[in-house]
mmCIF file of all heavy atoms in Angstrom:
data_model
loop_
_atom_site.group_PDB
_atom_site.id
_atom_site.type_symbol
_atom_site.label_atom_id
_atom_site.label_comp_id
_atom_site.label_asym_id
_atom_site.label_seq_id
_atom_site.Cartn_x
_atom_site.Cartn_y
_atom_site.Cartn_z
ATOM 1 N N ILE A 181 83.727 104.618 -31.165
ATOM 2 C CA ILE A 181 84.289 105.601 -32.125
ATOM 3 C C ILE A 181 83.530 106.902 -32.083
ATOM 4 O O ILE A 181 84.135 107.995 -32.129
ATOM 5 C CB ILE A 181 84.288 104.906 -33.543
ATOM 6 C CG1 ILE A 181 85.311 103.819 -33.628
ATOM 7 C CG2 ILE A 181 84.501 105.971 -34.624
ATOM 8 C CD1 ILE A 181 85.383 103.104 -34.944
ATOM 9 N N ARG A 182 82.227 106.855 -31.967
ATOM 10 C CA ARG A 182 81.433 108.062 -31.926
ATOM 11 C C ARG A 182 81.951 108.942 -30.717
ATOM 12 O O ARG A 182 82.071 110.131 -30.895
ATOM 13 C CB ARG A 182 79.987 107.795 -31.762
ATOM 14 C CG ARG A 182 79.054 109.033 -31.936
ATOM 15 C CD ARG A 182 77.586 108.744 -31.590
ATOM 16 N NE ARG A 182 76.998 107.687 -32.429
ATOM 17 C CZ ARG A 182 76.536 107.985 -33.682
ATOM 18 N NH1 ARG A 182 76.776 109.184 -34.223
ATOM 19 N NH2 ARG A 182 76.005 107.026 -34.368
ATOM 20 N N LYS A 183 82.117 108.312 -29.576
ATOM 21 C CA LYS A 183 82.546 109.015 -28.415
ATOM 22 C C LYS A 183 83.885 109.662 -28.600
ATOM 23 O O LYS A 183 84.151 110.815 -28.224
ATOM 24 C CB LYS A 183 82.543 108.102 -27.192
ATOM 25 C CG LYS A 183 81.198 107.780 -26.648
ATOM 26 C CD LYS A 183 81.226 107.799 -25.065
ATOM 27 C CE LYS A 183 79.876 107.958 -24.459
ATOM 28 N NZ LYS A 183 79.016 106.763 -24.743
ATOM 29 N N ARG A 184 84.844 108.877 -29.176
ATOM 30 C CA ARG A 184 86.194 109.394 -29.421
ATOM 31 C C ARG A 184 86.149 110.663 -30.348
ATOM 32 O O ARG A 184 86.771 111.639 -30.116
ATOM 33 C CB ARG A 184 87.032 108.395 -30.026
ATOM 34 C CG ARG A 184 87.536 107.300 -29.038
ATOM 35 C CD ARG A 184 88.517 106.352 -29.607
ATOM 36 N NE ARG A 184 88.807 105.226 -28.768
ATOM 37 C CZ ARG A 184 88.807 103.934 -29.191
ATOM 38 N NH1 ARG A 184 88.613 103.704 -30.476
ATOM 39 N NH2 ARG A 184 89.113 102.996 -28.370
ATOM 40 N N LEU A 185 85.348 110.511 -31.413
ATOM 41 C CA LEU A 185 85.251 111.609 -32.364
ATOM 42 C C LEU A 185 84.582 112.825 -31.741
ATOM 43 O O LEU A 185 85.074 113.969 -31.971
ATOM 44 C CB LEU A 185 84.476 111.220 -33.634
ATOM 45 C CG LEU A 185 85.271 110.347 -34.604
ATOM 46 C CD1 LEU A 185 84.319 109.722 -35.678
ATOM 47 C CD2 LEU A 185 86.352 111.131 -35.345
ATOM 48 N N GLU A 186 83.582 112.662 -30.931
ATOM 49 C CA GLU A 186 82.974 113.746 -30.224
ATOM 50 C C GLU A 186 83.933 114.440 -29.383
ATOM 51 O O GLU A 186 84.023 115.695 -29.348
ATOM 52 C CB GLU A 186 81.794 113.228 -29.375
ATOM 53 C CG GLU A 186 80.449 113.352 -29.964
ATOM 54 C CD GLU A 186 79.305 112.625 -29.192
ATOM 55 O OE1 GLU A 186 79.491 112.483 -27.938
ATOM 56 O OE2 GLU A 186 78.334 112.283 -29.795
ATOM 57 N N LYS A 187 84.693 113.702 -28.605
ATOM 58 C CA LYS A 187 85.708 114.242 -27.667
ATOM 59 C C LYS A 187 86.744 115.087 -28.417
ATOM 60 O O LYS A 187 87.126 116.151 -28.057
ATOM 61 C CB LYS A 187 86.380 113.046 -26.924
ATOM 62 C CG LYS A 187 87.296 113.506 -25.863
ATOM 63 C CD LYS A 187 87.802 112.221 -25.073
ATOM 64 C CE LYS A 187 88.936 112.601 -24.073
ATOM 65 N NZ LYS A 187 90.249 112.791 -24.766
ATOM 66 N N ILE A 188 87.204 114.493 -29.583
ATOM 67 C CA ILE A 188 88.205 115.215 -30.352
ATOM 68 C C ILE A 188 87.650 116.515 -30.942
ATOM 69 O O ILE A 188 88.259 117.529 -30.892
ATOM 70 C CB ILE A 188 88.763 114.342 -31.497
ATOM 71 C CG1 ILE A 188 89.550 113.161 -30.921
ATOM 72 C CG2 ILE A 188 89.624 115.103 -32.479
ATOM 73 C CD1 ILE A 188 89.728 111.975 -31.942
ATOM 74 N N ASN A 189 86.411 116.373 -31.455
ATOM 75 C CA ASN A 189 85.766 117.570 -32.045
ATOM 76 C C ASN A 189 85.608 118.668 -31.027
ATOM 77 O O ASN A 189 85.703 119.875 -31.340
ATOM 78 C CB ASN A 189 84.453 117.208 -32.697
ATOM 79 C CG ASN A 189 84.661 116.691 -34.092
ATOM 80 O OD1 ASN A 189 85.334 117.297 -34.877
ATOM 81 N ND2 ASN A 189 84.063 115.522 -34.467
ATOM 82 N N TYR A 190 85.204 118.257 -29.821
ATOM 83 C CA TYR A 190 84.933 119.185 -28.737
ATOM 84 C C TYR A 190 86.287 119.957 -28.453
ATOM 85 O O TYR A 190 86.288 121.135 -28.259
ATOM 86 C CB TYR A 190 84.407 118.437 -27.522
ATOM 87 C CG TYR A 190 84.061 119.335 -26.386
ATOM 88 C CD1 TYR A 190 82.927 120.113 -26.375
ATOM 89 C CD2 TYR A 190 84.902 119.378 -25.215
ATOM 90 C CE1 TYR A 190 82.580 120.939 -25.285
ATOM 91 C CE2 TYR A 190 84.572 120.152 -24.115
ATOM 92 C CZ TYR A 190 83.461 120.969 -24.174
ATOM 93 O OH TYR A 190 83.090 121.757 -23.108
ATOM 94 N N GLU A 191 87.297 119.143 -28.353
ATOM 95 C CA GLU A 191 88.603 119.708 -27.953
ATOM 96 C C GLU A 191 89.103 120.631 -29.107
ATOM 97 O O GLU A 191 89.734 121.658 -28.873
ATOM 98 C CB GLU A 191 89.631 118.562 -27.698
ATOM 99 C CG GLU A 191 90.803 119.020 -26.887
ATOM 100 C CD GLU A 191 91.711 117.908 -26.563
ATOM 101 O OE1 GLU A 191 91.359 116.695 -26.518
ATOM 102 O OE2 GLU A 191 92.927 118.188 -26.280
ATOM 103 N N ILE A 192 88.848 120.240 -30.369
ATOM 104 C CA ILE A 192 89.294 121.071 -31.480
ATOM 105 C C ILE A 192 88.612 122.416 -31.484
ATOM 106 O O ILE A 192 89.261 123.482 -31.596
ATOM 107 C CB ILE A 192 88.974 120.341 -32.835
ATOM 108 C CG1 ILE A 192 90.014 119.227 -33.095
ATOM 109 C CG2 ILE A 192 89.045 121.297 -33.997
ATOM 110 C CD1 ILE A 192 89.784 118.406 -34.261
ATOM 111 N N ASP A 193 87.280 122.409 -31.233
ATOM 112 C CA ASP A 193 86.519 123.671 -31.153
ATOM 113 C C ASP A 193 87.134 124.580 -30.103
ATOM 114 O O ASP A 193 87.290 125.772 -30.270
ATOM 115 C CB ASP A 193 85.086 123.353 -30.763
ATOM 116 C CG ASP A 193 84.337 122.878 -31.988
ATOM 117 O OD1 ASP A 193 84.796 123.041 -33.126
ATOM 118 O OD2 ASP A 193 83.289 122.226 -31.855
ATOM 119 N N ASP A 194 87.427 123.948 -28.946
ATOM 120 C CA ASP A 194 87.957 124.664 -27.758
ATOM 121 C C ASP A 194 89.309 125.332 -28.225
ATOM 122 O O ASP A 194 89.521 126.474 -27.877
ATOM 123 C CB ASP A 194 88.203 123.591 -26.709
ATOM 124 C CG ASP A 194 87.907 124.167 -25.322
ATOM 125 O OD1 ASP A 194 87.060 125.051 -25.257
ATOM 126 O OD2 ASP A 194 88.658 123.725 -24.402
ATOM 127 N N LEU A 195 90.220 124.565 -28.783
ATOM 128 C CA LEU A 195 91.538 125.034 -29.066
ATOM 129 C C LEU A 195 91.546 126.043 -30.216
ATOM 130 O O LEU A 195 92.337 127.002 -30.221
ATOM 131 C CB LEU A 195 92.500 123.847 -29.425
ATOM 132 C CG LEU A 195 92.868 122.959 -28.272
ATOM 133 C CD1 LEU A 195 93.669 121.743 -28.773
ATOM 134 C CD2 LEU A 195 93.637 123.671 -27.223
ATOM 135 N N CYS A 196 90.608 125.846 -31.148
ATOM 136 C CA CYS A 196 90.506 126.880 -32.267
ATOM 137 C C CYS A 196 90.098 128.221 -31.740
ATOM 138 O O CYS A 196 90.625 129.283 -32.089
ATOM 139 C CB CYS A 196 89.493 126.413 -33.285
ATOM 140 S SG CYS A 196 90.100 125.053 -34.335
ATOM 141 N N ALA A 197 89.205 128.223 -30.724
ATOM 142 C CA ALA A 197 88.755 129.474 -30.104
ATOM 143 C C ALA A 197 89.941 130.023 -29.356
ATOM 144 O O ALA A 197 90.210 131.236 -29.388
ATOM 145 C CB ALA A 197 87.547 129.193 -29.193
ATOM 146 N N LYS A 198 90.652 129.150 -28.646
ATOM 147 C CA LYS A 198 91.779 129.617 -27.783
ATOM 148 C C LYS A 198 92.867 130.262 -28.644
ATOM 149 O O LYS A 198 93.407 131.297 -28.265
ATOM 150 C CB LYS A 198 92.310 128.387 -26.995
ATOM 151 C CG LYS A 198 93.473 128.740 -26.082
ATOM 152 C CD LYS A 198 93.924 127.480 -25.278
ATOM 153 C CE LYS A 198 95.183 127.810 -24.552
ATOM 154 N NZ LYS A 198 95.691 126.559 -23.865
ATOM 155 N N TYR A 199 93.244 129.605 -29.735
ATOM 156 C CA TYR A 199 94.338 130.131 -30.517
ATOM 157 C C TYR A 199 93.949 130.978 -31.702
ATOM 158 O O TYR A 199 94.777 131.515 -32.415
ATOM 159 C CB TYR A 199 95.165 128.888 -31.154
ATOM 160 C CG TYR A 199 95.772 127.985 -30.087
ATOM 161 C CD1 TYR A 199 95.553 126.597 -30.123
ATOM 162 C CD2 TYR A 199 96.502 128.516 -29.015
ATOM 163 C CE1 TYR A 199 96.111 125.769 -29.182
ATOM 164 C CE2 TYR A 199 97.140 127.713 -28.037
ATOM 165 C CZ TYR A 199 96.926 126.365 -28.112
ATOM 166 O OH TYR A 199 97.374 125.517 -27.195
ATOM 167 N N GLY A 200 92.648 131.111 -31.887
ATOM 168 C CA GLY A 200 92.149 131.960 -32.963
ATOM 169 C C GLY A 200 92.557 131.405 -34.378
ATOM 170 O O GLY A 200 92.953 132.122 -35.250
ATOM 171 N N VAL A 201 92.386 130.083 -34.542
ATOM 172 C CA VAL A 201 92.721 129.479 -35.802
ATOM 173 C C VAL A 201 91.438 128.864 -36.435
ATOM 174 O O VAL A 201 90.519 128.569 -35.735
ATOM 175 C CB VAL A 201 93.855 128.432 -35.690
ATOM 176 C CG1 VAL A 201 95.176 129.061 -35.252
ATOM 177 C CG2 VAL A 201 93.489 127.308 -34.729
ATOM 178 N N LYS A 202 91.568 128.673 -37.777
ATOM 179 C CA LYS A 202 90.479 127.993 -38.426
ATOM 180 C C LYS A 202 90.452 126.529 -38.081
ATOM 181 O O LYS A 202 91.461 125.872 -37.773
ATOM 182 C CB LYS A 202 90.698 128.088 -39.965
ATOM 183 C CG LYS A 202 90.172 129.322 -40.549
ATOM 184 C CD LYS A 202 89.782 129.097 -42.027
ATOM 185 C CE LYS A 202 89.625 130.342 -42.848
ATOM 186 N NZ LYS A 202 90.938 130.963 -43.203
ATOM 187 N N ARG A 203 89.246 125.929 -38.184
ATOM 188 C CA ARG A 203 89.092 124.511 -37.781
ATOM 189 C C ARG A 203 89.785 123.595 -38.804
ATOM 190 O O ARG A 203 89.535 123.618 -40.013
ATOM 191 C CB ARG A 203 87.572 124.204 -37.762
ATOM 192 C CG ARG A 203 87.220 122.834 -37.285
ATOM 193 C CD ARG A 203 85.763 122.683 -37.203
ATOM 194 N NE ARG A 203 85.444 122.053 -35.896
ATOM 195 C CZ ARG A 203 85.696 120.803 -35.578
ATOM 196 N NH1 ARG A 203 86.333 120.021 -36.447
ATOM 197 N NH2 ARG A 203 85.414 120.334 -34.406
ATOM 198 N N PRO A 204 90.718 122.742 -38.347
ATOM 199 C CA PRO A 204 91.318 121.760 -39.244
ATOM 200 C C PRO A 204 90.419 120.531 -39.503
ATOM 201 O O PRO A 204 89.447 120.362 -38.764
ATOM 202 C CB PRO A 204 92.580 121.350 -38.442
ATOM 203 C CG PRO A 204 92.249 121.518 -37.039
ATOM 204 C CD PRO A 204 91.196 122.579 -36.945
ATOM 205 N N GLU A 205 90.748 119.850 -40.545
ATOM 206 C CA GLU A 205 90.043 118.631 -40.882
ATOM 207 C C GLU A 205 90.660 117.486 -40.088
ATOM 208 O O GLU A 205 91.847 117.399 -39.869
ATOM 209 C CB GLU A 205 90.154 118.432 -42.379
ATOM 210 C CG GLU A 205 89.665 117.106 -42.851
ATOM 211 C CD GLU A 205 90.004 116.867 -44.311
ATOM 212 O OE1 GLU A 205 91.189 116.812 -44.624
ATOM 213 O OE2 GLU A 205 89.071 116.765 -45.080
ATOM 214 N N ILE A 206 89.832 116.570 -39.696
ATOM 215 C CA ILE A 206 90.310 115.299 -39.110
ATOM 216 C C ILE A 206 90.431 114.210 -40.217
ATOM 217 O O ILE A 206 89.469 113.939 -40.891
ATOM 218 C CB ILE A 206 89.303 114.811 -38.029
ATOM 219 C CG1 ILE A 206 89.207 115.777 -36.903
ATOM 220 C CG2 ILE A 206 89.839 113.448 -37.486
ATOM 221 C CD1 ILE A 206 88.095 115.419 -35.945
ATOM 222 N N LEU A 207 91.643 113.652 -40.301
ATOM 223 C CA LEU A 207 91.785 112.544 -41.248
ATOM 224 C C LEU A 207 91.985 111.309 -40.377
ATOM 225 O O LEU A 207 92.826 111.295 -39.458
ATOM 226 C CB LEU A 207 93.019 112.790 -42.115
ATOM 227 C CG LEU A 207 93.548 111.690 -43.000
ATOM 228 C CD1 LEU A 207 94.149 112.282 -44.300
ATOM 229 C CD2 LEU A 207 94.591 110.802 -42.370
ATOM 230 N N GLY A 208 91.264 110.201 -40.681
ATOM 231 C CA GLY A 208 91.470 109.014 -39.939
ATOM 232 C C GLY A 208 92.555 108.190 -40.575
ATOM 233 O O GLY A 208 92.394 107.677 -41.663
ATOM 234 N N ALA A 209 93.710 108.062 -39.897
ATOM 235 C CA ALA A 209 94.780 107.228 -40.462
ATOM 236 C C ALA A 209 94.454 105.789 -40.199
ATOM 237 O O ALA A 209 94.537 105.257 -39.111
ATOM 238 C CB ALA A 209 96.108 107.607 -39.777
ATOM 239 N N SER A 210 93.967 105.113 -41.306
ATOM 240 C CA SER A 210 93.346 103.861 -41.077
ATOM 241 C C SER A 210 94.166 102.664 -41.479
ATOM 242 O O SER A 210 93.753 101.660 -42.009
ATOM 243 C CB SER A 210 92.017 103.834 -41.882
ATOM 244 O OG SER A 210 92.323 103.930 -43.248
ATOM 245 N N LYS A 211 95.462 102.834 -41.139
ATOM 246 C CA LYS A 211 96.451 101.825 -41.425
ATOM 247 C C LYS A 211 96.025 100.364 -41.321
ATOM 248 O O LYS A 211 95.957 99.642 -42.290
ATOM 249 C CB LYS A 211 97.597 102.041 -40.365
ATOM 250 C CG LYS A 211 98.955 101.707 -40.893
ATOM 251 C CD LYS A 211 100.000 101.860 -39.777
ATOM 252 C CE LYS A 211 100.874 103.046 -40.026
ATOM 253 N NZ LYS A 211 102.025 103.051 -39.134
ATOM 254 N N TYR A 212 95.666 99.925 -40.080
ATOM 255 C CA TYR A 212 95.320 98.493 -39.949
ATOM 256 C C TYR A 212 93.863 98.327 -39.744
ATOM 257 O O TYR A 212 93.390 97.290 -39.242
ATOM 258 C CB TYR A 212 96.075 97.940 -38.725
ATOM 259 C CG TYR A 212 97.542 98.095 -38.891
ATOM 260 C CD1 TYR A 212 98.269 98.996 -38.161
ATOM 261 C CD2 TYR A 212 98.277 97.309 -39.840
ATOM 262 C CE1 TYR A 212 99.611 99.186 -38.284
ATOM 263 C CE2 TYR A 212 99.593 97.457 -40.039
ATOM 264 C CZ TYR A 212 100.313 98.436 -39.221
ATOM 265 O OH TYR A 212 101.633 98.580 -39.412
ATOM 266 N N VAL A 213 93.038 99.293 -40.115
ATOM 267 C CA VAL A 213 91.681 99.293 -39.809
ATOM 268 C C VAL A 213 90.850 98.774 -40.996
ATOM 269 O O VAL A 213 91.013 99.207 -42.097
ATOM 270 C CB VAL A 213 91.191 100.709 -39.431
ATOM 271 C CG1 VAL A 213 89.690 100.707 -39.145
ATOM 272 C CG2 VAL A 213 91.968 101.237 -38.248
ATOM 273 N N ASN A 214 89.971 97.800 -40.743
ATOM 274 C CA ASN A 214 89.269 97.227 -41.859
ATOM 275 C C ASN A 214 88.127 98.056 -42.325
ATOM 276 O O ASN A 214 87.771 99.022 -41.647
ATOM 277 C CB ASN A 214 88.845 95.792 -41.570
ATOM 278 C CG ASN A 214 87.734 95.769 -40.510
ATOM 279 O OD1 ASN A 214 86.875 96.612 -40.494
ATOM 280 N ND2 ASN A 214 87.766 94.704 -39.705
ATOM 281 N N ILE A 215 87.581 97.780 -43.474
ATOM 282 C CA ILE A 215 86.630 98.680 -44.173
ATOM 283 C C ILE A 215 85.342 98.897 -43.314
ATOM 284 O O ILE A 215 84.789 99.959 -43.298
ATOM 285 C CB ILE A 215 86.327 98.221 -45.611
ATOM 286 C CG1 ILE A 215 85.546 99.257 -46.362
ATOM 287 C CG2 ILE A 215 85.607 96.893 -45.593
ATOM 288 C CD1 ILE A 215 86.279 100.533 -46.670
ATOM 289 N N ASP A 216 84.942 97.887 -42.559
ATOM 290 C CA ASP A 216 83.730 98.050 -41.788
ATOM 291 C C ASP A 216 83.927 99.110 -40.685
ATOM 292 O O ASP A 216 82.998 99.897 -40.433
ATOM 293 C CB ASP A 216 83.368 96.701 -41.059
ATOM 294 C CG ASP A 216 83.067 95.593 -42.057
ATOM 295 O OD1 ASP A 216 82.673 95.975 -43.192
ATOM 296 O OD2 ASP A 216 83.249 94.412 -41.736
ATOM 297 N N VAL A 217 85.107 99.131 -40.084
ATOM 298 C CA VAL A 217 85.428 100.125 -39.079
ATOM 299 C C VAL A 217 85.470 101.552 -39.739
ATOM 300 O O VAL A 217 84.949 102.483 -39.178
ATOM 301 C CB VAL A 217 86.718 99.845 -38.311
ATOM 302 C CG1 VAL A 217 86.999 100.891 -37.282
ATOM 303 C CG2 VAL A 217 86.581 98.447 -37.659
ATOM 304 N N VAL A 218 86.027 101.555 -40.916
ATOM 305 C CA VAL A 218 86.120 102.863 -41.663
ATOM 306 C C VAL A 218 84.696 103.347 -41.905
ATOM 307 O O VAL A 218 84.372 104.547 -41.729
ATOM 308 C CB VAL A 218 86.918 102.692 -42.983
ATOM 309 C CG1 VAL A 218 86.701 103.915 -43.909
ATOM 310 C CG2 VAL A 218 88.367 102.442 -42.727
ATOM 311 N N LYS A 219 83.811 102.461 -42.409
ATOM 312 C CA LYS A 219 82.437 102.833 -42.649
ATOM 313 C C LYS A 219 81.741 103.279 -41.422
ATOM 314 O O LYS A 219 80.931 104.253 -41.413
ATOM 315 C CB LYS A 219 81.631 101.640 -43.248
ATOM 316 C CG LYS A 219 82.028 101.392 -44.779
ATOM 317 C CD LYS A 219 81.219 100.165 -45.268
ATOM 318 C CE LYS A 219 81.351 100.072 -46.767
ATOM 319 N NZ LYS A 219 80.897 98.742 -47.188
#
């Protein structure tokens, strides 16, 4: 999960710079994910 989030954050920074937009927030859609994984 740490690796996935790092990768997404890196890509977000990259695209924000490219498009000149403010950084959006990441929401984890935790549909079937149990609380331990959320924590």
Side-chain angles (χ1 to χ4, degrees):
I181 288 178
R182 190 189 298 284
K183 283 222 162 67
R184 286 189 189 131
L185 282 168
E186 261 172 24
K187 183 173 175 285
I188 293 163
N189 276 312
Y190 183 75
E191 203 178 334
I192 285 176
D193 286 339
D194 216 32
L195 290 173
C196 284
K198 180 179 172 183
Y199 299 129
V201 295
K202 275 209 197 75
R203 188 175 224 289
E205 171 189 61
I206 299 171
L207 172 149
S210 62
K211 213 184 252 193
Y212 302 107
V213 177
N214 68 36
I215 191 66
D216 298 335
V217 178
V218 169
K219 284 179 171 167

